[in-house]
DNA sequence: GTCAGGTACTTGATCAGATACAGTAGTTGG
DNA sequence: CCAACTACTGTATCTGATCAAGTACCTGAC
């Protein structure tokens, strides 16, 4: 962790990040968790509980569909599939992120004006 | 407002943004509010209540000092001055923001891996 | 063969930042 | 005079993130 503020800095982006992962292909919950953890080199872990809450929210909103894998042996895995609505929201949120990034950049650079 | 997610997208950056404004010179509360509102062209307003809560937090943490202006006439204005501790935290938070920006960029670009 | 540690999912309680809402008070412009 | 704006404050509420704990299964080391 770079610093303890990381949680709130990522706040609001969780759903979009999950949609971004699912955009490529279906994945099960823990797999998404590991991928995010590994992709950031441990700098910005998103906690399991946070992600599972996000999955529920995304399913409830119809942005993602859930189904149980058919692992005949081994532990159960719940897979998630992004919907068309989810893809639309993803694109919208990426645009919002780009705008937010620009806004914060400019606010942190405020000269006396 | 670009979209209703903006609030959570800025979340966690409020304190840093305020410190960034005060880094240049002392300002009173409402002035900071107006400057942020205007600087973003209305895209990302930070609500008054949010900012005044941030001022209290910053003062409590010793990152900012408050003092009443001496407007002999006209409404009262409470000014804020950044402390050395505040400047240090500001630099630290800007670094954190740069790291977070990179993290989110990479997470939103995750290819199947 | 058992025990630690990893995989995998879930739930309930709690925290903190952001906001809604309401209020106080002085100022300015038509 | 009165609406709109400046300027600050307090309280209650919402929500996403986290903590803490638990269930259950599997694998590898000893």
């Amino acid at each position: 962790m770079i610093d303890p503020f990381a949680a709130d800095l990522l706040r609001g982006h969780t759903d979009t990040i999950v949609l971004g992962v699912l955009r490529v292909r279906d994945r099960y919950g823990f797999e998404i968790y590991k991928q995010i953890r590994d992709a950031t080199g441990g700098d910005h872990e998103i906690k399991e509980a946070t992600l599972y809450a996000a999955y529920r929210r995304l399913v409830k909103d119809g942005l993602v569909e859930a189904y149980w894998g058919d692992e005949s042996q081994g532990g159960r895995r719940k897979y998630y599939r992004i919907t068309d609505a989810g893809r639309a929201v993803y694109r919208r949120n990426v645009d919002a992120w780009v705008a937010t990034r620009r806004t914060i950049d400019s606010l942190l650079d405020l000269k006396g004006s």
Side-chain angles (χ1 to χ4, degrees), chain A residues 9 11-12 24 37 53 57 69 71 75 83 88 92:
Chain A
L9 296 187
R11 193 187 182 104
V24 179
R37 187 191 56 192
R57 196 164 49 233
E71 284 76 28
T83 65
R92 210 162 64 88

mmCIF file of all heavy atoms in Angstrom, chain A residues 9 11-12 24 37 53 57 69 71 75 83 88 92:
data_model
loop_
_atom_site.group_PDB
_atom_site.id
_atom_site.type_symbol
_atom_site.label_atom_id
_atom_site.label_comp_id
_atom_site.label_asym_id
_atom_site.label_seq_id
_atom_site.Cartn_x
_atom_site.Cartn_y
_atom_site.Cartn_z
ATOM 1 N N LEU A 9 -9.385 6.640 -2.601
ATOM 2 C CA LEU A 9 -8.973 7.124 -3.915
ATOM 3 C C LEU A 9 -9.549 6.249 -5.023
ATOM 4 O O LEU A 9 -9.871 6.736 -6.102
ATOM 5 C CB LEU A 9 -7.444 7.169 -4.027
ATOM 6 C CG LEU A 9 -6.741 8.143 -3.076
ATOM 7 C CD1 LEU A 9 -5.264 8.220 -3.400
ATOM 8 C CD2 LEU A 9 -7.375 9.527 -3.150
ATOM 9 N N ARG A 11 -12.316 4.580 -4.587
ATOM 10 C CA ARG A 11 -13.759 4.544 -4.362
ATOM 11 C C ARG A 11 -14.516 5.110 -5.560
ATOM 12 O O ARG A 11 -14.165 6.144 -6.105
ATOM 13 C CB ARG A 11 -14.092 5.362 -3.128
ATOM 14 C CG ARG A 11 -15.500 5.140 -2.623
ATOM 15 C CD ARG A 11 -15.801 6.122 -1.514
ATOM 16 N NE ARG A 11 -17.118 5.904 -0.968
ATOM 17 C CZ ARG A 11 -17.353 5.315 0.194
ATOM 18 N NH1 ARG A 11 -16.360 4.888 0.919
ATOM 19 N NH2 ARG A 11 -18.577 5.159 0.621
ATOM 20 N N GLY A 12 -15.556 4.396 -5.938
ATOM 21 C CA GLY A 12 -16.358 4.840 -7.059
ATOM 22 C C GLY A 12 -15.912 4.220 -8.367
ATOM 23 O O GLY A 12 -16.636 4.272 -9.359
ATOM 24 N N VAL A 24 -13.576 -8.565 -21.233
ATOM 25 C CA VAL A 24 -12.734 -9.460 -22.022
ATOM 26 C C VAL A 24 -13.334 -10.864 -22.096
ATOM 27 O O VAL A 24 -13.467 -11.439 -23.174
ATOM 28 C CB VAL A 24 -11.314 -9.520 -21.424
ATOM 29 C CG1 VAL A 24 -10.448 -10.469 -22.241
ATOM 30 C CG2 VAL A 24 -10.714 -8.124 -21.381
ATOM 31 N N ARG A 37 -5.535 -7.630 -7.716
ATOM 32 C CA ARG A 37 -4.444 -7.594 -6.746
ATOM 33 C C ARG A 37 -3.094 -7.716 -7.452
ATOM 34 O O ARG A 37 -2.159 -6.967 -7.191
ATOM 35 C CB ARG A 37 -4.622 -8.743 -5.744
ATOM 36 C CG ARG A 37 -3.655 -8.719 -4.580
ATOM 37 C CD ARG A 37 -3.742 -10.026 -3.810
ATOM 38 N NE ARG A 37 -3.504 -11.178 -4.702
ATOM 39 C CZ ARG A 37 -3.738 -12.449 -4.366
ATOM 40 N NH1 ARG A 37 -4.253 -12.725 -3.193
ATOM 41 N NH2 ARG A 37 -3.485 -13.430 -5.218
ATOM 42 N N ALA A 53 -19.523 -7.302 -2.805
ATOM 43 C CA ALA A 53 -20.606 -6.311 -2.725
ATOM 44 C C ALA A 53 -20.838 -5.679 -4.094
ATOM 45 O O ALA A 53 -21.977 -5.443 -4.497
ATOM 46 C CB ALA A 53 -20.258 -5.241 -1.692
ATOM 47 N N ARG A 57 -24.230 -5.670 -6.540
ATOM 48 C CA ARG A 57 -24.757 -4.409 -7.042
ATOM 49 C C ARG A 57 -24.896 -4.463 -8.560
ATOM 50 O O ARG A 57 -25.911 -4.063 -9.129
ATOM 51 C CB ARG A 57 -23.812 -3.287 -6.622
ATOM 52 C CG ARG A 57 -24.363 -1.901 -6.712
ATOM 53 C CD ARG A 57 -23.500 -0.911 -5.917
ATOM 54 N NE ARG A 57 -22.076 -1.037 -6.214
ATOM 55 C CZ ARG A 57 -21.126 -1.201 -5.282
ATOM 56 N NH1 ARG A 57 -21.450 -1.270 -4.007
ATOM 57 N NH2 ARG A 57 -19.861 -1.296 -5.632
ATOM 58 N N GLY A 69 -20.525 -22.245 -12.077
ATOM 59 C CA GLY A 69 -19.726 -23.086 -12.953
ATOM 60 C C GLY A 69 -20.080 -24.552 -12.730
ATOM 61 O O GLY A 69 -20.703 -24.895 -11.724
ATOM 62 N N GLU A 71 -17.997 -27.071 -12.283
ATOM 63 C CA GLU A 71 -16.894 -27.849 -11.735
ATOM 64 C C GLU A 71 -17.448 -29.107 -11.079
ATOM 65 O O GLU A 71 -18.089 -29.035 -10.025
ATOM 66 C CB GLU A 71 -16.116 -27.035 -10.688
ATOM 67 C CG GLU A 71 -15.200 -25.973 -11.235
ATOM 68 C CD GLU A 71 -15.954 -24.734 -11.714
ATOM 69 O OE1 GLU A 71 -17.040 -24.468 -11.174
ATOM 70 O OE2 GLU A 71 -15.470 -24.057 -12.619
ATOM 71 N N GLY A 75 -13.976 -26.886 -5.574
ATOM 72 C CA GLY A 75 -14.947 -25.964 -4.982
ATOM 73 C C GLY A 75 -15.823 -25.312 -6.031
ATOM 74 O O GLY A 75 -15.466 -25.233 -7.204
ATOM 75 N N THR A 83 -23.350 -7.816 -19.413
ATOM 76 C CA THR A 83 -24.494 -7.688 -20.323
ATOM 77 C C THR A 83 -24.258 -6.517 -21.277
ATOM 78 O O THR A 83 -23.298 -5.758 -21.125
ATOM 79 C CB THR A 83 -25.790 -7.412 -19.543
ATOM 80 O OG1 THR A 83 -25.672 -6.142 -18.902
ATOM 81 C CG2 THR A 83 -26.050 -8.498 -18.499
ATOM 82 N N ALA A 88 -22.392 -0.820 -22.104
ATOM 83 C CA ALA A 88 -22.720 0.595 -22.327
ATOM 84 C C ALA A 88 -22.277 1.430 -21.125
ATOM 85 O O ALA A 88 -21.663 2.491 -21.287
ATOM 86 C CB ALA A 88 -24.221 0.758 -22.575
ATOM 87 N N ARG A 92 -19.430 4.476 -20.784
ATOM 88 C CA ARG A 92 -19.803 5.752 -20.199
ATOM 89 C C ARG A 92 -18.872 6.097 -19.021
ATOM 90 O O ARG A 92 -18.422 7.231 -18.866
ATOM 91 C CB ARG A 92 -21.252 5.671 -19.703
ATOM 92 C CG ARG A 92 -22.015 6.960 -19.738
ATOM 93 C CD ARG A 92 -23.512 6.687 -19.656
ATOM 94 N NE ARG A 92 -23.893 6.063 -18.398
ATOM 95 C CZ ARG A 92 -24.203 6.750 -17.299
ATOM 96 N NH1 ARG A 92 -24.183 8.060 -17.320
ATOM 97 N NH2 ARG A 92 -24.554 6.129 -16.195
#
